[in-house]
Amino acid sequence: MHVNLTKLFAVFCFLLFHIYSFANQQDTLLEAIKAHLAKHEAAEMETDALKLLQFSDLENDMETKAEALKFLGISKHLQAKYDSAIVWYNQALNLCVEMNDTLNTGKACLNIATCYNSKGDFENAVKYALLALKSFEEIDDKNGQGRVQNLLGIFNFHRHEFESAYDYFSKYNILAIESKDTGEIVSSLNNMASALHELNNYTRERQLLKQSIAIQESQGQSIRIGSAYENMGILYMDTDSLELANLYFSKAVNSYSINNNTHDLARIALNTGLLKKKQKKYSGAATDYQYSLAFSKEGGFLKLQEEALQKLALLYEEQGDFKNAYRNNVLFLEVRDSILNTENQASINKLMIEFETEKKERLIAQKDLEIAEKNLESHHKTLIILLLIGIIIILLLFSFAVYSRIKIRQERRLNEERLKMKQLQMNVVLESQESERKRFAQDLHDGFGQLITAVKLLLGQMNDTNEKDKRLELAIKSNDVLDTMHSQLREIAHNLMPEQLINEGLATALKEYATRISRHSNLAIEVNTFGMEKRLNQSIEVNIYRIIQEWINNVIKYSGAKKLSIQLTGYETEINILIEDNGVGFEMETLTQSSGWGWKNIQSRLEAINGILEIDTRLGIPGTSFIIDLPIV
């Protein structure tokens, strides 16, 4: 009996060690692969992904195998070997379908669609993009849906349909915000800016890029911010602000260097070369193109090699250096032919991959047979193993039950917090309404009460006298009091709900409000509107009006500003509101930690209309910008 317990314990320890070893090796390989992906190290990534594939075959782990196949596809994708990438992605897709893994099925379809889009096969790109969208919608994955909208935007961007591309990128932005994925939000802002660049809307492009940079700088991100810096540099380069372009390109280079991202370093070198060429620094331009070529060769980025060689050939030709121009042009043609040959070898690569896969499957089958023969030698050991597996399953089920209970508690707490937030918002609205009622009652009591008393006294005096002149004098005074009452009544009614806002719309109401404030205060207000010809939903117009009114009250009370401008710009899918003043700046914490109802009222109304607020201000620096981006359906 003692021997049997010892063997049982030994088998149990062996299984635990095997499970731990498997998980540890898998995690190590996955971490290495993701690190290579972040740096665009395609060759190293491919090597580790092949190891992970071999490891998953030995363990017969389908989920890990699907991951390995996906990363093999990505490694080929980064090297512009799109046909090979599609072969690997399709194998990953088949496994995901077999496992009923809807999320990763959608991701695999999206990867395939991206490859076809890069190849210029737009029919297949759209086909797989829509399949991906169907999977993501089935599980309500906002992040995945947004990435599909992004791909459709890129598809239209490559077809030079930039307005359509901007619409898709805007939908991508909305879905990224809904999924609270900061990385995708930043990516969507960058892509929207790229479309606006092609539409020559540089003002809005600059605003979006600044927003992207601000988000990343506030969160200490370094991986994606280089792209925003690079796009800002391109913007300034194309608008001939070459010093600013050089500044932002330098920031982009620093960001890419921190992550040792050779792909992005190769691309930014092309842009800095183009900038130096514009500055007539031809030697520097050639050096940057050479850097790009070196980075492209190091990472195996054939498309970037092709572009670097072409730019070098054109640069040398323009300088009259025909020998170097010819040499680089020959190399350019060789790389281009290499890309074409690589794509033409797709069927051969596919057969080789299938052959290797079949070979691995035969090895697995042979090892399974050996395992089965060993199991037949000891039926008792098999029963023990099954017993241990049963115990492990029971432990897993118990762990899952505990986890589920904890998750339910967490969701309950989250729902309670959400209810508290909703209650707080309701309190803000109710307090705001109560404040308005008190002010209205005070106006009626202080103003109308005294005026009505005055009219009654005048009418009483008229009844007490028979003198014609005296009665005429009292009638004139009564009429003056009634005129005052009429003016105050109109003012109170306008404060409750401006007549122009209801009848003529937001733009007219704001202009009338600006005129009144300018007349009765030291603040001169200017209102400009663009693209606001159509009326908005009345609830949206009222909320926007009240938000602007509340903010201007704050400006008048605290900023000491003399001038203020309001700009409303209507786009197809959103409205941008920009309020700028020349008053003193302040610390944002002073506002966000305020206990007053004004700021809470602004926040509550913004949430009601799904508005996104950005305030640009600094303590001690004149001027504050109050910016709202409001999506419209």
Side-chain angles (χ1 to χ4, degrees):
M1 185 68 181
H2 176 69
V3 175
N4 288 338
L5 286 174
T6 302
K7 287 182 177 180
L8 178 65
F9 179 73
V11 172
F12 181 71
C13 290
F14 172 77
L15 283 173
L16 287 178
F17 175 76
H18 183 71
I19 291 169
Y20 172 77
S21 177
F22 169 69
N24 190 47
Q25 290 181 58
Q26 176 182 321
D27 290 344
T28 301
L29 280 171
L30 281 171
E31 287 176 7
I33 290 168
K34 290 176 181 177
H36 293 318
L37 175 59
K39 298 177 181 178
H40 284 229
E41 295 172 346
E44 294 84 348
M45 180 182 176
E46 182 178 1
T47 300
D48 284 340
L50 284 169
K51 290 179 184 177
L52 186 63
L53 179 63
Q54 184 180 18
F55 188 66
S56 65
D57 281 339
L58 291 173
E59 296 294 334
N60 198 23
D61 182 352
M62 291 179 67
E63 290 185 6
T64 303
K65 185 175 182 178
E67 281 285 287
L69 291 168
K70 177 186 75 175
F71 285 121
L72 281 167
I74 293 173
S75 70
K76 294 296 184 184
H77 198 156
L78 291 175
Q79 298 175 67
K81 297 176 181 178
Y82 303 117
D83 288 310
S84 295
I86 289 169
V87 171
W88 289 117
Y89 285 146
N90 266 310
Q91 289 190 50
L93 173 60
N94 292 335
L95 274 181
C96 293
V97 171
E98 186 178 342
M99 293 186 294
N100 293 320
D101 187 343
T102 307
L103 174 61
N104 284 307
T105 295
K107 289 181 178 179
C109 287
L110 182 59
N111 286 336
I112 294 170
T114 304
C115 277
Y116 278 122
N117 189 62
S118 298
K119 284 182 63 179
D121 186 348
F122 300 127
E123 183 177 350
N124 275 315
V126 173
K127 172 186 170 183
Y128 278 94
L130 294 177
L131 287 172
L133 184 59
K134 182 180 178 182
S135 294
F136 293 136
E137 287 177 341
E138 185 177 331
I139 57 175
D140 195 29
D141 186 324
K142 302 295 185 186
N143 186 281
Q145 293 175 44
R147 291 174 63 199
V148 174
Q149 296 293 340
N150 182 44
L151 178 61
L152 293 173
I154 294 170
F155 164 67
N156 281 279
F157 191 92
H158 287 163
R159 295 169 63 197
H160 293 178
E161 295 180 5
F162 301 118
E163 290 186 2
S164 180
Y166 179 79
D167 290 340
Y168 279 113
F169 292 146
S170 298
K171 293 174 185 175
Y172 171 37
N173 176 254
I174 292 169
L175 289 164
I177 291 170
E178 288 183 21
S179 63
K180 299 180 180 179
D181 188 325
T182 305
E184 298 297 331
I185 292 170
V186 166
S187 177
S188 65
L189 290 171
N190 289 342
N191 288 352
M192 289 166 68
S194 296
L196 289 169
H197 187 85
E198 299 299 331
L199 293 168
N200 297 325
N201 190 344
Y202 300 134
T203 301
R204 179 62 177 155
E205 178 193 3
R206 186 181 297 107
Q207 188 181 66
L208 291 179
L209 289 175
K210 284 186 176 180
Q211 187 177 347
S212 170
I213 292 169
I215 291 171
Q216 295 175 90
E217 288 181 341
S218 67
Q219 298 191 2
Q221 293 184 1
S222 61
I223 293 177
R224 294 176 182 263
I225 198 169
S227 178
Y229 286 144
E230 185 175 358
N231 286 343
M232 188 71 88
I234 293 170
L235 168 63
Y236 282 121
M237 181 170 64
D238 288 351
T239 54
D240 293 328
S241 299
L242 303 186
E243 291 300 323
L244 285 171
N246 186 57
L247 171 66
Y248 278 99
F249 282 154
S250 297
K251 289 185 175 184
V253 169
N254 290 337
S255 174
Y256 296 149
S257 298
I258 290 171
N259 299 294
N260 193 25
N261 190 326
T262 53
H263 182 274
D264 289 339
L265 285 170
R267 190 187 60 245
I268 190 67
L270 289 175
N271 280 320
T272 55
L274 185 58
L275 174 63
K276 288 175 181 176
K277 185 179 175 184
K278 270 196 166 190
Q279 296 172 321
K280 301 188 185 304
K281 299 176 181 178
Y282 299 114
S283 177
T287 300
D288 285 355
Y289 291 153
Q290 291 288 357
Y291 277 137
S292 177
L293 184 59
F295 283 129
S296 300
K297 287 180 178 179
E298 180 184 340
F301 312 129
L302 296 179
K303 287 290 186 183
L304 288 175
Q305 284 185 51
E306 179 185 16
E307 189 172 352
L309 287 167
Q310 186 180 33
K311 288 187 181 299
L312 275 168
L314 290 173
L315 178 65
Y316 285 130
E317 183 181 351
E318 289 176 13
Q319 292 182 276
D321 187 350
F322 299 111
K323 181 179 178 181
N324 275 322
Y326 174 77
R327 183 173 59 83
N328 282 280
N329 192 58
V330 169
L331 293 172
F332 157 69
L333 294 173
E334 286 178 359
V335 172
R336 187 177 65 178
D337 291 342
S338 174
I339 293 172
L340 293 173
N341 289 335
T342 300
E343 294 174 352
N344 289 334
Q345 290 293 324
S347 58
I348 298 174
N349 290 341
K350 183 176 179 181
L351 289 173
M352 290 298 296
I353 291 165
E354 290 174 350
F355 171 76
E356 291 296 328
T357 303
E358 184 182 352
K359 181 180 175 182
K360 289 173 184 176
E361 289 174 352
R362 285 201 304 271
L363 288 171
I364 293 168
Q366 184 178 351
K367 289 187 178 182
D368 287 342
L369 181 60
E370 292 174 0
I371 293 169
E373 289 174 351
K374 289 179 181 179
N375 287 339
L376 288 174
E377 293 174 1
S378 179
H379 181 65
H380 183 63
K381 289 181 180 179
T382 303
L383 290 176
I384 292 173
I385 292 171
L386 290 174
L387 176 63
L388 290 172
I389 291 173
I391 293 171
I392 292 170
I393 291 172
I394 291 170
L395 289 172
L396 289 173
L397 290 173
F398 176 75
S399 300
F400 179 74
V402 172
Y403 170 76
S404 298
R405 184 173 297 177
I406 293 171
K407 188 174 181 181
I408 289 169
R409 287 177 184 172
Q410 289 175 340
E411 289 178 352
R412 188 180 298 140
R413 290 196 194 102
L414 184 60
N415 288 332
E416 289 173 357
E417 289 298 322
R418 287 172 178 164
L419 287 173
K420 288 180 183 177
M421 287 298 297
K422 287 183 179 179
Q423 185 63 45
L424 179 61
Q425 291 171 3
M426 289 178 63
N427 290 341
V428 171
V429 174
L430 291 173
E431 186 69 22
S432 176
Q433 291 176 348
E434 188 63 27
S435 176
E436 285 293 319
R437 292 191 184 100
K438 287 180 181 178
R439 187 173 61 79
F440 179 55
Q442 188 71 31
D443 289 344
L444 289 176
H445 179 271
D446 294 347
F448 272 76
Q450 295 175 7
L451 293 171
I452 290 171
T453 301
V455 171
K456 287 177 68 177
L457 289 172
L458 290 170
L459 291 176
Q461 292 176 21
M462 286 178 67
N463 288 332
D464 293 341
T465 182
N466 292 322
E467 296 180 18
K468 185 175 180 181
D469 292 341
K470 185 67 174 177
R471 288 173 65 85
L472 178 60
E473 180 186 351
L474 292 169
I476 291 171
K477 290 181 178 180
S478 298
N479 187 61
D480 290 342
V481 174
L482 288 172
D483 286 341
T484 302
M485 290 174 66
H486 180 259
S487 297
Q488 289 192 8
L489 183 61
R490 282 176 58 86
E491 184 70 21
I492 292 170
H494 191 279
N495 288 334
L496 286 173
M497 184 58 67
E499 181 181 352
Q500 287 86 352
L501 184 61
I502 301 300
N503 297 331
E504 301 179 39
L506 179 63
T508 303
L510 284 175
K511 289 177 181 177
E512 195 279 334
Y513 173 71
T515 301
R516 284 193 301 111
I517 294 298
S518 299
R519 186 187 306 129
H520 296 107
S521 71
N522 293 325
L523 181 64
I525 302 177
E526 179 185 1
V527 179
N528 294 300
T529 61
F530 308 94
M532 297 292 296
E533 292 78 13
K534 294 182 180 179
R535 290 291 300 270
L536 302 173
N537 177 282
Q538 187 172 336
S539 174
I540 293 176
E541 290 190 337
V542 170
N543 277 301
I544 293 174
Y545 184 87
R546 293 305 186 198
I547 290 170
I548 294 174
Q549 189 179 43
E550 194 70 58
W551 182 252
I552 291 176
N553 286 340
N554 285 339
V555 172
I556 293 172
K557 287 180 182 179
Y558 306 116
S559 76
K562 300 299 181 183
K563 292 182 180 180
L564 181 142
S565 67
I566 305 172
Q567 179 176 308
L568 275 73
T569 306
Y571 299 98
E572 188 173 346
T573 58
E574 68 174 7
I575 291 175
N576 177 257
I577 301 165
L578 174 62
I579 304 176
E580 295 181 309
D581 66 66
N582 64 348
V584 296
F586 57 89
E587 289 288 354
M588 277 298 298
E589 289 184 0
T590 305
L591 183 62
T592 55
Q593 296 178 2
S594 169
S595 60
W597 289 106
W599 173 244
K600 294 177 182 177
N601 195 18
I602 289 174
Q603 292 289 92
S604 178
R605 291 186 182 276
L606 276 170
E607 184 164 341
I609 58 177
N610 297 319
I612 300 171
L613 174 62
E614 177 188 353
I615 299 176
D616 185 7
T617 185
R618 297 288 187 279
L619 183 64
I621 299 176
T624 296
S625 296
F626 180 89
I627 306 165
I628 296 175
D629 287 316
L630 173 64
I632 54 174
V633 181

